[in-house]
Amino acid sequence: MRAPVCVTVLVWLLSDARQFTEEEMSAVRQRIKSMFYHAYNSYLDNAFPYDELRPLTCDGQDTWGSFSLTLIDALDTLLVLGNQTEFQRVASLLQDTVDFDIDVNASVFETNIRVVGGLLSAHLLSGRAGMQLEPGWPCSGPLLRMADDAARKLLPAFQTPTGMPYGTVNLLKGVSPTETPVTCTAGVGTFILEFATLSRLTGDPTFENAARQALRALWKTRSDIGLVGNHIDILSKKWVAQDAGIGAGVDSYFEYLVKGAILLQDEELLNMFLEYDRAIQNYTRFDDWYLWVQMHKGTVSMPVFQSLEAFWPGLQSLLGNLDSAVRTFQNYYSVWRQFGGLPEFYSIPQGYTVDKREGYPLRPELIESAMYLFRATGDHTYLQLGLDALESIEKITRTPCGYASVKDLRDHQLDNRMESFFLAETIKYLYLLFDPAHFLHGGAAEGDGSWEEGGEDRQCVLGAGGFIFNTEAHPLDPAALYCCSRHAQDRQELRDILLSLPKEKKKTRSKPAAKHTEDPPHGPSVSIALKPGEKKTPPLLSCPVQPFSARLSILGQVFTDNT
């Protein structure tokens, strides 16, 4: 039976949407920068080196692992806002002060998306930030080594019979013998972006293999109607919580199947998501809301909207499902207009908050979807939504020492916490919403430093667009992964082909050329043309597709401009 919907949906008059001028958008960007620096400087002045700022008492607290989490999470936001000087200072500071070899129990999920993701993103943006780069960057560098170090501390959690990871790991001692085997679905399926990036930059497949094994193990546990639950026992593979939906505990699993497919050009991941999406649309969607249902029967178990679900319209836009994305976004934004924020849980039948779930911890998901939908449609309505969000946050949550989570949206009572994702995600997505020409959108003009050179012999084109944001809004450059993995693989294939040349052919070469079988010199001294009557020898491997470096292929023999 379809659940009744009692919420008055915001009337969507696209034709009447206010049109923002560039001057107005620039003014909003300045307001967003001011918001960031009020929060960021308050953290530095009152909370560093703790993980988070407590904005009501103007002090700090450790929450996720005691490694200055807010500073790591906010590092790439500094560059997004154009502050190269502070980016350089903080990147150097983190290298000198952060140590992951500590006796601390850390969330595997949170450490991955915030710390590993933040360090990888900062590493990939180091060139644009004007930092001194190691030879071969982005395939090497100090921030990459820090990300590698942090990720290796998480690997013991994956050493299970199923390959699905525990939820918590001690960074010094590994997994405790008393650690619970029950973890949320997202805690199993939210690693492929960071771990594959790390593997392809460093050449160590351990991380990507671990993430893929976890994904494939989780895929095999779906129900007969194609759904997954909320919490699973990673040892027995039995579902402990059997509520299926797109919100808390599940959300980023679906997000990473889509974004992983795009980042890695991976058909397996895309097919996984598409099969899930068919079941989601069939069993959980009601009037462009997404409810929670029993994973085996498809019957409604919780007719609620959770604030974490607000990422879904943005994800739909990546797949081109714009009509559905726009309608769902309308529903979600109507809730924001009702309260000045999104409550953690919202009862769809009652049209009101759920008891003990009335808070808004400055989450970014609705703003994130607005950014994607504005990029997809160009509709300035989404800019108005962003401006409304900016003014709500300023009016309701600003304190003398930063911005505070809202404990209760009904009376706007505040809580003494500013999570690191406020600087990493909420402000970043707000800024990018109002900056359509930003380099992360691929919007910079040619000649304006819109791309960089990198890799071995600086043959790779980096930063030209197509960035993929992890679930903590840390941008990853697909070109860097290609540069460090595929380019090295292609060069090895080239060497194999050259080494496989027939001996008779090698004898026809001059003596200087014969000394350089693996790296023949430039110029016409080496001919690869067939002699009269000579038969063509097929190569062992076909010429690989190389969009980032020139390749010539003549009669099956492959060479490059530096061989």
Side-chain angles (χ1 to χ4, degrees):
M1 180 178 178
R2 179 162 298 200
V5 179
C6 301
V7 177
T8 301
V9 177
L10 178 69
V11 177
W12 214 253
L13 298 175
L14 301 182
S15 59
D16 296 334
R18 167 190 173 187
Q19 297 297 302
F20 285 72
T21 66
E22 175 51 41
E23 290 75 16
E24 290 173 324
M25 294 172 67
S26 177
V28 174
R29 290 198 297 270
Q30 291 304 313
R31 291 182 60 184
I32 297 168
K33 282 187 177 181
S34 297
M35 173 186 284
F36 173 83
Y37 286 113
H38 175 63
Y40 178 76
N41 291 331
S42 294
Y43 167 78
L44 290 180
D45 293 341
N46 300 285
F48 178 79
Y50 291 102
D51 280 342
E52 292 179 358
L53 169 70
R54 298 204 302 174
L56 300 183
T57 53
C58 299
D59 55 13
Q61 63 179 345
D62 283 332
T63 51
W64 295 112
S66 187
F67 24 65
S68 304
L69 181 62
T70 293
L71 208 55
I72 295 175
D73 232 359
L75 180 54
D76 57 12
T77 308
L78 287 166
L79 188 65
V80 169
L81 301 183
N83 194 337
Q84 294 184 343
T85 302
E86 183 66 2
F87 180 99
Q88 295 174 16
R89 186 189 75 84
V90 172
S92 299
L93 177 65
L94 291 174
Q95 294 171 47
D96 294 337
T97 59
V98 174
D99 181 11
F100 298 115
D101 194 26
I102 52 178
D103 187 7
V104 168
N105 293 324
S107 164
V108 180
F109 170 85
E110 298 290 352
T111 304
N112 175 59
I113 66 171
R114 303 194 197 203
V115 178
V116 178
L119 291 171
L120 285 173
S121 175
H123 163 71
L124 294 174
L125 295 175
S126 293
R128 191 176 295 273
M131 295 192 65
Q132 185 174 358
L133 304 176
E134 292 184 359
W137 175 89
C139 313
S140 64
L143 294 177
L144 177 60
R145 288 189 287 274
M146 287 184 67
D148 184 286
D149 186 20
R152 287 190 188 280
K153 295 294 185 180
L154 306 181
L155 286 178
F158 290 81
Q159 296 172 3
T160 64
T162 63
M164 294 188 285
Y166 285 97
T168 303
V169 66
N170 185 282
L171 299 183
L172 187 65
K173 302 174 183 178
V175 178
S176 169
T178 61
E179 176 63 26
T180 175
V182 176
T183 190
C184 68
T185 307
V188 175
T190 309
F191 296 91
I192 191 64
L193 292 185
E194 298 84 4
F195 276 29
T197 297
L198 194 53
S199 283
R200 299 195 183 196
L201 293 181
T202 64
D204 183 352
T206 303
F207 302 103
E208 183 172 349
N209 289 344
R212 286 189 181 275
Q213 185 177 359
L215 282 175
R216 288 166 179 159
L218 186 57
W219 170 252
K220 294 177 182 178
T221 66
R222 66 196 187 282
S223 70
D224 291 339
I225 61 174
L227 297 172
V228 289
N230 195 272
H231 280 74
I232 190 171
D233 186 313
I234 62 166
L235 300 182
S236 68
K237 297 186 287 187
K238 293 182 179 180
W239 287 100
V240 176
Q242 298 186 2
D243 296 304
I246 62 170
V250 186
D251 49 356
S252 54
Y253 171 43
F254 297 137
E255 177 186 1
Y256 272 41
L257 291 178
V258 173
K259 292 182 176 180
I262 299 171
L263 179 70
L264 307 174
Q265 294 295 287
D266 192 301
E267 192 173 348
E268 178 189 13
L269 300 180
L270 181 59
N271 287 336
M272 285 181 178
F273 176 81
L274 292 177
E275 186 164 332
Y276 277 130
D277 192 45
R278 283 190 287 271
I280 290 168
Q281 299 300 324
N282 191 29
Y283 291 102
T284 76
R285 181 179 174 184
F286 294 83
D287 291 338
D288 297 307
W289 297 91
Y290 291 84
L291 312 184
W292 289 83
V293 303
Q294 211 283 337
M295 65 176 289
H296 296 288
K297 301 176 182 179
T299 53
V300 175
S301 58
M302 290 191 299
V304 300
F305 158 61
Q306 298 178 354
S307 62
L308 285 170
E309 297 173 15
F311 84 101
W312 189 256
L315 193 69
Q316 287 181 303
S317 76
L318 291 177
L319 295 167
N321 301 327
L322 287 180
D323 289 342
S324 176
V326 168
R327 291 194 300 270
T328 298
F329 188 93
Q330 293 173 15
N331 288 343
Y332 295 170
Y333 186 62
S334 71
V335 179
W336 181 288
R337 290 289 294 261
Q338 186 176 352
F339 296 100
L342 290 185
E344 293 287 72
F345 281 33
Y346 179 85
S347 172
I348 297 171
Q350 297 177 1
Y352 207 64
T353 60
V354 175
D355 188 41
K356 299 181 180 179
R357 294 291 188 272
E358 306 93 347
Y360 169 60
L362 304 174
R363 292 198 187 279
E365 282 76 19
L366 189 68
I367 300 166
E368 173 188 359
S369 284
M371 183 200 75
Y372 280 114
L373 289 171
F374 177 63
R375 294 291 300 163
T377 66
D379 179 7
H380 281 221
T381 301
Y382 298 103
L383 298 181
Q384 183 61 53
L385 307 185
L387 181 59
D388 290 347
L390 171 64
E391 292 177 344
S392 293
I393 293 171
E394 280 282 5
K395 180 179 179 180
I396 298 171
T397 74
R398 184 182 176 104
T399 74
C401 292
Y403 294 85
S405 299
V406 182
K407 187 175 183 179
D408 192 330
L409 278 169
R410 296 171 301 179
D411 58 10
H412 295 166
Q413 180 183 353
L414 299 181
D415 196 10
N416 194 20
R417 189 175 186 186
M418 187 183 80
E419 289 223 39
S420 66
F421 58 66
F422 177 64
L423 296 179
E425 299 186 75
T426 307
I427 289 180
K428 184 183 295 163
Y429 282 134
L430 259 180
Y431 189 85
L432 291 173
L433 170 62
F434 285 92
D435 192 1
H438 197 278
F439 75 85
L440 286 177
H441 295 316
E446 185 176 354
D448 291 345
S450 57
W451 58 272
E452 310 162 85
E453 296 178 342
E456 186 177 350
D457 300 324
R458 301 183 66 80
Q459 292 186 358
C460 298
V461 176
L462 306 174
F467 288 88
I468 301 297
F469 293 91
N470 85 335
T471 198
E472 192 77 2
H474 296 305
L476 304 172
D477 186 1
L481 279 65
Y482 181 94
C483 176
C484 298
S485 61
R486 186 64 187 173
H487 181 59
Q489 181 180 342
D490 290 349
R491 287 182 62 82
Q492 183 59 49
E493 291 177 356
L494 174 62
R495 291 190 179 96
D496 292 342
I497 291 172
L498 294 175
L499 287 172
S500 70
L501 293 176
K503 293 183 179 180
E504 301 79 36
K505 199 166 186 176
K506 291 182 181 179
K507 291 179 181 178
T508 65
R509 297 182 180 179
S510 61
K511 289 183 180 180
K515 294 180 181 179
H516 300 279
T517 305
E518 294 190 18
D519 297 292
H522 289 284
S525 59
V526 179
S527 173
I528 60 173
L530 294 178
K531 293 182 178 181
E534 186 178 4
K535 293 183 178 181
K536 175 182 174 182
T537 302
L540 296 179
L541 297 170
S542 61
C543 181
V545 178
Q546 277 276 28
F548 299 113
S549 60
R551 287 286 187 269
L552 298 176
S553 178
I554 302 177
L555 299 176
Q557 303 302 320
V558 185
F559 62 91
T560 61
D561 55 0
N562 69 334
T563 56

